[in-house]
Amino acid sequence: QLKVKNTNDGGPNSLRGALFLAGEGSVITFDETVFSSSRSEFDTTIRPITALPNVDKTGIVIDASGVRATVNGALAGDVNGLILKSNGNSIKGLAITGFARSGIRVESSGNTLGGDRSVGGGANGNGLRISGCGSAGIEITGTRILRASSSTTVRQEQRFQILSSAPTAPKASSSATPQPSRQNSFTIALVRRR
């Protein structure tokens, strides 16, 4: 397990460092004191000044579900926030803001993005908050095209699932009643024509 223990852009115990060191199946979490939900968003924001390392090992989990952690890319230039190049990764609880391109770019399959906001003690629960990014909050790309013969193009459908929950009252309110989670599934088919 790798733990992010500061809001620095690089160096030991930073998000950049954890992404660089992450291997297959690594879990990246955030220090509960530094990224406490009782601290301001300003105090719990990581501000990269260049592109973050790609998530390119299978099964990496980035878990901010118990804390308040924001990655603000306003200073990073013309880049995406997190790029998922490997399969089976999970991102939950994180806020991603201010990137010139997409907050998350998915170039792989079998990834889980977000979840039930009423689960987890952090500002977003298991959910994600992506805002103020130039191209898209989440960009899904990389659908493969299969060619049956030199004159025929076959499309390959990819299935994606979006997990969301209805807005709830702030967690500090004892009268907050979580709304049931909703699951929306859909299929995307891309066809490349000659």
Side-chain angles (χ1 to χ4, degrees), residues 97-181:
T97 64
F99 282 91
R101 294 189 183 176
S102 299
I104 299 175
R105 180 179 167 98
V106 180
E107 299 179 359
S108 53
S109 63
N111 298 294
T112 302
L113 304 177
D116 190 336
R117 292 179 65 96
S118 67
V119 174
N124 297 313
N126 280 341
L128 296 173
R129 180 173 59 85
I130 302 175
S131 65
C133 296
S135 297
I138 299 173
E139 176 184 0
I140 301 171
T141 185
T143 299
R144 291 169 283 169
I145 305 296
L146 304 178
R147 191 172 300 281
S149 70
S150 60
S151 62
T152 307
T153 300
V154 178
R155 71 182 184 182
Q156 179 182 6
E157 295 184 352
Q158 300 284 333
R159 185 167 180 81
F160 299 96
Q161 189 172 64
I162 295 176
L163 303 175
S164 62
S165 62
T168 61
K171 291 187 179 202
S173 170
S174 61
S175 63
T177 304
Q179 300 297 312
S181 294

Side-chain angles (χ1 to χ4, degrees), residues 6-166:
N6 59 58
T7 60
N8 298 344
D9 178 38
N13 302 313
S14 67
L15 176 60
R16 184 180 300 278
L19 289 168
F20 180 75
L21 293 172
E24 271 191 35
S26 289
V27 177
I28 298 172
T29 59
F30 295 78
D31 184 83
E32 298 81 11
T33 303
V34 174
F35 295 96
S36 170
S37 294
S38 65
R39 298 185 71 194
S40 73
E41 185 169 341
F42 180 84
D43 290 337
T44 59
T45 297
I46 299 164
R47 295 172 181 84
I49 58 171
T50 58
L52 290 167
N54 294 329
V55 178
D56 58 3
K57 307 292 188 300
T58 301
I60 292 176
V61 175
I62 300 173
D63 184 358
S65 62
V67 297
R68 177 190 305 275
T70 300
V71 181
N72 184 317
L75 302 174
D78 189 23
V79 300
N80 293 294
L82 294 170
I83 300 177
L84 305 183
K85 289 191 168 280
S86 57
N87 300 330
N89 302 296
S90 176
I91 303 172
K92 54 188 174 179
L94 202 58
I96 301 172
T97 64
F99 282 91
R101 294 189 183 176
S102 299
I104 299 175
R105 180 179 167 98
V106 180
E107 299 179 359
S108 53
S109 63
N111 298 294
T112 302
L113 304 177
D116 190 336
R117 292 179 65 96
S118 67
V119 174
N124 297 313
N126 280 341
L128 296 173
R129 180 173 59 85
I130 302 175
S131 65
C133 296
S135 297
I138 299 173
E139 176 184 0
I140 301 171
T141 185
T143 299
R144 291 169 283 169
I145 305 296
L146 304 178
R147 191 172 300 281
S149 70
S150 60
S151 62
T152 307
T153 300
V154 178
R155 71 182 184 182
Q156 179 182 6
E157 295 184 352
Q158 300 284 333
R159 185 167 180 81
F160 299 96
Q161 189 172 64
I162 295 176
L163 303 175
S164 62
S165 62

